[in-house]
Each structure stands twice: as structure tokens, then as C-alpha cells.
Amino acid sequence: MEHYIVKGGNALSGEVEIAGAKNAALAILAASIMTNETVTVENVPDVSDIRALLMAIQLIGAHVERLDRHSFRINGSAINKDKPVDNEYVRKIRGSYYLIGSLLGKYCKASVALPGGCNIGLRPIDQHIKGFKALGAQVKVASPGMVVATAEELTGAHIYMDMVSVGATINVMMAAVKAKGNTIIENAAKEPHVVDLANFLNSMGARIKGAGTDVIRIRGVEYLHGTTYSIIPDQIEAGTFMFAAAATKGDVTIKNVIPKHLESISAKLTEVGCQIRESGDAVRVVANKRLLHTNVKTLPYPGFPTDMQPQITVLLGLCRGISIVTESIFENRFKYVDELTKMGASITVEGNTAIIDGVEQYTGANLTSPDLRAGAALVIAALAAEGCSKIFDIHYIERGYEDFPEKLRHLGAEIEKIDDSYDEHRFRFRAG
Ligand code: UD1
């Protein structure tokens, strides 16, 4: 079975380049088929969630041409609007639900399999449906697990989101771009990828204002045209490397980032005693001593991201004193704590709170990734641990991290993806 093997104990040092943002890319690729003209998207991360979405749009008739590892030319003029979006790939990824908004906006008709994604909570889509209905669509959840949305025409509306939802904001924004008249989305999500999608759609001729604030105003347009667009860097990949540097007492410069997007992460690392230096599009993290405890609560942007919650918990598990991590976005996001306990961590979970009594050192163990971000966090724990660890179910990690072991090796980590026992012997021989 494929897994990573890690020999911990090396302080990471050097430079790492961050890829394009997976969550922005999922939204932008889904929106790229809203025009019949050709769209070129650059800085697309080469991860399995993106490959699945590209496969899904090809299966309904979009033409996708790969220009290089990270650039695609996409043309949605030959899409069969009557063909449901449903295959094994679509059902695995969360981002496929963006095809409801894009197809509904373009054709007033969408039939898309219900989203999969990481099992970190219930993840309902009632706010998406509420938004589509406000725009004039009829929405049914039909068997087997399909969302079917249809409309005579879409008309702008004033929509108040009951909670801050990244997915619902993005989905409703896409549909509203081609609705007749004006739409206002209140209590909108402010995440960098919401802004990136709005910028992308505006570069196609959409008229969206206010993305990045909690009120987004959209004036519907009849026509969207082709464009060339480069996706923002991945805030969560960058944050993951920042925490890997801190947990291994390393010195890592994370390049190709937007430091503003990393402020909540940098602030927490500074609080626990790391030195953070920002310069242009890079952030350097230096940790040369045992770090201190702190408390953190996950919140919508610009708060501390829920997608960084497992990584900060791993770090705080090694910090002096008692730390408290409160998860306020998803109800089932501490499943990885049992794995950390196997490594010697002292963490108690009560409801949505983890109480962490920092230990001096983790010890290597056999670990299973429960989801994407928790999987990456377990890799950080293994890098900081004494001895060898194996991490299984790495297909979760590969959904969102491009070349994860290669990038870590470049920073001095001993990590290898193992396909068979020969790979493992080779690793153990090399790592000693
Ligand atoms: C997106 C990200 C995910 C990230 C999350 C929060 C993608 C593909 N995924 O997920 O990595 O962890 O934002 O930053 O971009 N909710 C409802 N009803 C809805 C929609 C959401 O109750 O209709 C709830 C959710 O259950 C959750 C909260 O609202 O408790 C926030 O979810 P949301 O922001 O929508 O997350 P996703 O878009 O699924």
C-alpha cells in the first residue's frame, strides 16, 4: 500500500516555492466554462482534486488543453448542457459543486452529483440552494445524490447568507454574474479565493464589486469573454510549510506567497516565539528554541483558517505549557488527535476544543491520514519526531499538496513515498 516513510529529527532549512491555490483553482476552472471563448488559466496546482475537476468538465464536453504542467487552455463551447455531471471523480471532490453555479449561470440548467470532499463534518449545502432559489432557480436534490437546478431565467436578488460560507458565496456569485439585474450577497465569505474568483470573472467581463468584504454586489451581464488569468498562491500550502519549519526548529523561506494572506498564521507563529520576516513575495520562518503555548480559534478569513487547525495543533503539542485550540467551523475536525497520541502527544478533545499539554518530543509511529489537512499535519509531526514514522492514506494529502515529499526533501527532510518494499529498503539504507 502506498505510504510515506519519514525519519524525523532534521531541522528544515532552505527555500520552498508555493504552488497555485487549490481552492481558488477549483472555483476558477469551474467558472472558465461559462464563456464559449477560450480561457487560459496559469499557476494551476498539479494535485489530484484539480485533475478530477478537469476530467469532470471534459466529460461534459469542454475542451482542455494542457500547455505546461501548470497552465491550461479551456474552451467550454461544446459542452452538452443536458449531460449530468456525474462520475467517480466528481463524487470524490468538494469543488465539483461549483459546476452547479457555473452551469446554472451559463445555461439556466445544472445537474451535478452531490459533493464529496474531506469528512470533517456534515457540510450541508442549504445556503447554496437558498441563493440559487433567490435568483429564481428551482432546485431539487434528486436520487441518486444529484443536485438539479433549473430556471427560465435568473434574476438578481438580495441574498443574506445565514452563515459565512466560502462555497455558497462562490457558487451564488457565479450564477449571479449572468442573472438579469443586480445581486447583493450579504454576510459573504472574504477568503482570498473568493476575491481571486471575482477578479477572474471580472477579467471575463463580469461586473462584481466588493469581493473581499462581506457585501458583494454583482451587476448581471449577458456576455462573458475569454481571458488569460494566473491563480494566487496557496495560502494553506504556505502555512503548512511555515508550521513544518517551526515544528522542526528550522529556518525556511517560503517563496511565491502573498504575505497579507498569511497574517493570521504569521501572528500565531510570532506569539509562540518564532521569528517571521516578510520580504516582497516571501516569508522566512526561523525557530531555534523550544516554543511557547498559545490559544487559537478557527474563524472565517481574516481569522485563523480551519484548514490550518491540525497543523497548529501538531506544533502546539510540542510547545511548552497548555494550549487550547477551538474549532468553530467544522464539527468533526479532531480525528487526527488519536494518531498524535500514538506519537506521545498529550491532547484531550472536549467537543470542539482540544486542550494540549506540550511534550518535549514526539516519537515515530504508524499513522493514518483521516483527511487532507490532517494528513499534512501528521507529516509535520513525523518530521519533528524522533525515529521513523509511516503515514498511510496519503491519497488525501495528494488531493491538495503538489510534490509534497520532494519539496520537503529539498528542505533537508528524510521522507519518501513508498510504493513497494524495495523502496522501503532503499529508504532505510539511505536514512540509516
Ligand atoms: C471551503 C474550502 C475548505 C475550507 C472551508 C472553510 C473549498 C473547495 N473548500 O469549504 O477547504 O475548510 O471552505 O474555510 O474551497 N455551511 C452550511 N450550509 C451551507 C454551506 C456551509 O451549514 O450551505 C456550513 C459548513 O457546514 C461549515 C461552515 O458553513 O460549518 C463553513 O463552510 P464553507 O465555508 O461553506 O466550507 P466549504 O465551502 O465546504
Side-chain angles (χ1 to χ4, degrees), residues 250-427:
D251 178 350
V252 176
T253 300
I254 293 112
K255 296 177 78 177
N256 183 34
V257 297
I258 299 175
K260 172 89 190 139
H261 295 169
L262 301 171
E263 270 175 358
S264 63
I265 296 165
S266 300
K268 281 294 155 194
L269 286 171
T270 306
E271 250 174 67
V272 297
C274 291
Q275 292 164 43
I276 306 287
R277 286 184 215 133
E278 291 178 12
S279 55
D281 68 350
V283 174
R284 180 173 171 198
V285 179
V286 183
N288 44 22
K289 56 177 189 293
R290 186 156 182 223
L291 300 170
L292 294 173
H293 64 106
T294 191
N295 299 336
V296 63
K297 182 175 182 179
T298 61
L299 288 168
Y301 188 84
F304 191 85
T306 174
D307 284 355
M308 289 299 303
Q309 181 259 96
Q311 298 90 317
I312 197 170
T313 301
V314 163
L315 177 66
L316 295 175
L318 293 167
C319 290
R320 190 183 310 238
I322 306 275
S323 300
I324 296 177
V325 174
T326 307
E327 172 58 54
S328 78
I329 312 285
F330 291 111
E331 65 273 21
N332 193 13
R333 216 166 185 177
F334 282 122
K335 281 185 292 183
Y336 63 90
V337 166
D338 288 345
E339 302 302 291
L340 282 183
T341 308
K342 287 186 200 162
M343 305 180 84
S346 173
I347 305 177
T348 314
V349 176
E350 287 173 14
N352 68 342
T353 303
I355 301 142
I356 304 160
D357 187 0
V359 294
E360 290 258 354
Q361 178 96 61
Y362 295 142
T363 42
N366 285 354
L367 309 163
T368 303
S369 307
D371 60 66
L372 162 59
R373 304 303 172 185
L378 292 176
V379 172
I380 298 176
L383 293 170
E386 192 178 86
C388 272
S389 300
K390 288 183 185 177
I391 296 128
F392 295 93
D393 281 352
I394 57 174
H395 59 95
Y396 284 118
I397 302 173
E398 292 176 345
R399 291 177 56 173
Y401 291 89
E402 179 180 305
D403 296 342
F404 200 39
E406 291 80 3
K407 287 183 180 182
L408 288 167
R409 268 204 302 277
H410 183 71
L411 296 172
E414 299 275 11
I415 177 169
E416 189 86 40
K417 179 173 168 177
I418 303 294
D419 288 320
D420 56 35
S421 57
Y422 175 68
D423 285 344
E424 184 159 343
H425 285 309
R426 218 177 36 192
F427 176 84

Side-chain angles (χ1 to χ4, degrees), residues 22-23 25-27 29-30 47-57 85-100 112-119 123 125 128 145 171 372 395-396 398-400:
K22 170 190 77 101
N23 287 345
L26 288 169
L29 293 171
V47 295
S48 65
D49 267 15
I50 296 296
R51 291 192 285 273
L53 187 74
L54 288 169
M55 189 78 76
I57 61 173
V85 185
D86 186 11
N87 59 61
E88 55 175 312
Y89 308 106
V90 171
R91 285 184 184 262
K92 275 191 193 139
I93 61 168
R94 188 85 191 146
S96 55
Y97 62 8
Y98 292 143
L99 292 169
I100 312 173
V112 179
L114 276 174
C118 285
N119 180 15
R123 308 189 83 172
I125 58 164
H128 307 232
N171 235 339
L372 162 59
H395 59 95
Y396 284 118
E398 292 176 345
R399 291 177 56 173

Side-chain angles (χ1 to χ4, degrees), residues 72-109:
F72 294 86
R73 199 178 278 146
I74 295 164
N75 186 293
S77 59
I79 284 178
N80 177 352
K81 65 178 191 299
D82 298 316
K83 192 161 180 194
V85 185
D86 186 11
N87 59 61
E88 55 175 312
Y89 308 106
V90 171
R91 285 184 184 262
K92 275 191 193 139
I93 61 168
R94 188 85 191 146
S96 55
Y97 62 8
Y98 292 143
L99 292 169
I100 312 173
S102 68
L103 293 171
L104 183 66
K106 185 176 185 189
Y107 300 116
C108 283
K109 186 173 183 179

